[in-house]
């Protein structure tokens, strides 16, 4: 079972890889819309990537209002 | 006419396979302009039916297959109209899109939707009129209409119900959540999964296979296995129009059009 810190680290790595930004530019409390410069549809791409990576379904309504990686990790952890 | 290049879509017929590409920015929203070109395509498909073995629908836009109805156009057209005029206008639009989708649904050719990215609302309804959905692994499917106080109006509910279990229809419709391609494949909505960026390639291979079969047998098989739920399609349209008359829909559309939310596409 992953810890929430491991989940967070995997999310940061995955976001950096998918949106081709240096991992060092991403921090847990970043607003990922701003840091990654993504819109709502790209956020859905990230959601799909996360579902594939963690092997779980992540209902998108649970992510309404979530903008930082740490909260994202908490929400995903609840589904693992 | 064996090819067409329009503002919202283009198509061409070669070797028995007709490929229709959607390319209306930003995400192939179905408004009047796209509807007119879909109507022209449906008429051409009928005229060319003896030559067409397979039809592939796909999008040239990176964002995806189709984001659904053009809600901005719908909202703008509603302004200054009475409730009765609004309902009459939306019913006329629905009658026209239903006529197109019914023709696509019953075309003798085998129709394939090659889906990538978002396939939401009216976009999913367009895909559901096709015989086979091929999906890129990054595709997502959604019926977000309830957030606006309406239901899908292009025939999505009866057509989804025709293809998958009622529990899946309820999950998609009543939660408004989007599901990924793997889930859509698991529940039977998607027929074939393709690697990222390969949905069109897989659809083309499928079309080549389809083209090998006797056209009369192919059409008979389709007619037998794919009945069109006309009564439910009509009922869906009526319910849509009943719901559309309420102020909550006006408010929902206004919120969507004016939204600066980070995730306006999410319910």
């Amino acid at each position: 079972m992953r810890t929430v810190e491991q989940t967070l680290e995997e999310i940061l790595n995955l976001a950096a890889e998918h949106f081709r930004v240096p991992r060092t530019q991403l921090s847990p409390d970043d607003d990922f819309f701003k840091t990654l410069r993504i819109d709502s549809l790209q956020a859905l791409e990230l959601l799909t990537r996360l579902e594939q990576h963690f092997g779980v379904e992540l209902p998108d309504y649970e992510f309404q209002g979530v903008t930082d990686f740490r909260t994202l990790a908490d929400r995903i952890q609840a589904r693992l | 006419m064996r090819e067409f290049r329009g503002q919202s879509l283009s198509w061409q017929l070669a070797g028995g396979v007709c490929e229709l590409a959607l390319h209306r920015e930003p995400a192939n929203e179905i408004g009047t302009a796209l509807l007119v070109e879909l109507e022209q395509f449906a008429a051409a498909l009928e005229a060319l039916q003896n030559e067409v073995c397979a039809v592939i629908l796909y999008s040239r836009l990176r964002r995806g297959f189709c984001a659904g109805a053009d809600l901005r156009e719908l909202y703008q057209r509603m302004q200054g109209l009475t409730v009765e005029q609004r309902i009459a206008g939306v019913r006329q639009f629905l009658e026209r899109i239903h006529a197109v989708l019914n023709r696509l649904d019953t075309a003798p050719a085998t129709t394939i939707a090659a889906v990538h990215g978002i396939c939401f609302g009216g976009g999913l309804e367009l895909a559901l009129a096709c015989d086979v959905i091929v999906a890129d692994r990054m595709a997502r499917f959604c019926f977000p209409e309830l957030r606006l106080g309406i239901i899908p109006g292009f025939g999505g509910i009866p057509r989804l119900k025709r293809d998958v279990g009622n529990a899946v229809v309820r999950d998609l419709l009543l939660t408004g959540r989007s599901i990924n391609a793997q889930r859509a494949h698991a529940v039977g909505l998607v027929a074939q999964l393709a690697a990222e960026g390969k949905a069109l390639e897989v659809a083309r291979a499928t079309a080549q296979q389809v083209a090998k079969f006797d056209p009369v047998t192919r059409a008979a098989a389709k007619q037998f296995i794919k009945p069109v739920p006309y009564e439910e399609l009509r009922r869906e349209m009526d319910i849509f129009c009943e719901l559309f008359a309420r102020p909550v829909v006006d408010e929902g559309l206004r919120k969507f059009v004016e939204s600066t939310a980070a995730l306006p596409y999410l319910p």
Side-chain angles (χ1 to χ4, degrees):
Chain A
M1 177 81 178
R2 293 175 175 92
T3 66
V4 70
E5 285 306 317
Q6 286 171 325
T7 299
L8 177 59
E9 188 59 28
E10 288 176 46
I11 292 169
L12 289 164
N13 289 338
L14 197 139
E17 185 185 355
H18 183 71
F19 294 108
R20 294 176 185 177
V21 297
R23 167 65 185 84
T24 50
Q25 284 183 13
L26 304 181
S27 302
D29 296 313
D30 282 349
D31 179 330
F32 50 78
F33 286 99
K34 289 179 182 165
T35 310
L36 298 169
R37 295 181 184 176
I38 60 173
D39 60 22
S40 58
L41 296 182
Q42 289 170 304
L44 282 174
E45 281 181 23
L46 179 60
L47 190 69
T48 306
R49 281 265 182 256
L50 292 168
E51 286 180 327
Q52 290 171 348
H53 178 82
F54 290 105
V56 292
E57 273 198 273
L58 305 169
D60 38 31
Y61 51 80
E62 286 191 7
F63 295 87
Q64 196 88 50
V66 175
T67 56
D68 65 282
F69 292 109
R70 194 181 298 279
T71 310
L72 189 60
D74 288 338
R75 298 288 165 88
I76 290 173
Q77 193 71 14
R79 291 268 172 182
L80 296 180
Chain B
M1 186 163 62
R2 303 178 73 81
E3 67 177 321
F4 172 79
R5 291 185 194 285
Q7 296 294 312
S8 304
L9 62 85
S10 299
W11 59 265
Q12 59 178 15
L13 172 62
V17 179
C18 186
E19 291 192 3
L20 183 150
L22 300 166
H23 48 69
R24 182 185 178 233
E25 295 283 0
N28 293 322
E29 287 83 357
I30 303 174
T32 309
L34 203 149
L35 173 60
V36 167
E37 293 183 356
L38 279 173
E39 287 174 327
Q40 291 167 347
F41 169 72
L45 187 59
E46 216 157 88
L48 293 166
Q49 65 176 296
N50 292 331
E51 297 177 55
V52 182
C53 303
V55 177
I56 299 173
L57 273 71
Y58 71 101
S59 165
R60 281 194 196 142
L61 305 184
R62 196 197 69 82
R63 286 176 174 275
F65 183 73
C66 176
D70 188 339
L71 299 178
R72 286 181 173 81
E73 180 186 289
L74 178 64
Y75 181 72
Q76 283 156 12
R77 282 177 181 262
M78 281 167 50
Q79 302 311 302
L81 300 180
T82 65
V83 171
E84 290 74 21
Q85 287 170 328
R86 288 179 184 187
I87 295 170
V90 81
R91 185 177 282 277
Q92 187 188 41
F93 188 91
L94 292 178
E95 294 279 3
R96 289 173 63 188
I97 192 74
H98 272 244
V100 169
L101 296 184
N102 288 349
R103 285 166 96 172
L104 191 62
D105 204 336
T106 56
T110 300
T111 51
I112 304 163
V115 175
H116 74 277
I118 54 167
C119 184
F120 284 7
L124 177 51
E125 294 177 290
L126 175 60
L128 282 166
C130 295
D131 303 331
V132 173
I133 299 177
V134 175
D136 179 306
R137 286 183 184 275
M138 288 295 285
R140 291 196 81 87
F141 301 84
C142 180
F143 273 145
E145 284 83 356
L146 260 69
R147 67 181 293 215
L148 299 170
I150 50 177
I151 61 170
F154 295 178
I157 301 172
R159 287 198 171 95
L160 184 61
K161 205 173 108 184
R162 175 176 66 182
D163 292 347
V164 305
N166 200 300
V168 177
V169 182
R170 293 197 303 273
D171 181 20
L172 278 175
L173 183 68
L174 300 180
T175 70
R177 75 182 180 113
S178 63
I179 58 170
N180 63 33
Q182 286 85 351
R183 169 77 171 154
H185 183 244
V187 299
L189 167 59
V190 164
Q192 298 182 42
L193 283 174
E196 280 183 58
K198 299 292 183 187
L200 181 57
E201 195 176 310
V202 170
R204 282 175 174 154
T206 304
Q208 290 306 313
Q209 168 68 5
V210 163
K212 294 174 187 168
F213 302 144
D214 169 62
V216 174
T217 311
R218 191 180 56 228
K222 173 169 168 173
Q223 195 175 16
F224 173 62
I225 201 65
K226 199 181 176 214
V228 180
Y230 288 111
E231 198 173 315
E232 286 196 330
L233 288 168
R234 178 60 51 187
R235 182 70 189 126
E236 183 195 79
M237 199 187 309
D238 290 341
I239 295 170
F240 184 98
C241 290
E242 285 166 23
L243 294 170
F244 192 75
R246 299 166 314 136
V248 69
V249 178
D250 194 25
E251 182 60 15
L253 285 171
R254 187 189 62 74
K255 272 188 185 167
F256 180 87
V257 169
E258 295 175 357
S259 173
T260 55
L263 297 166
Y265 279 93
L266 299 187

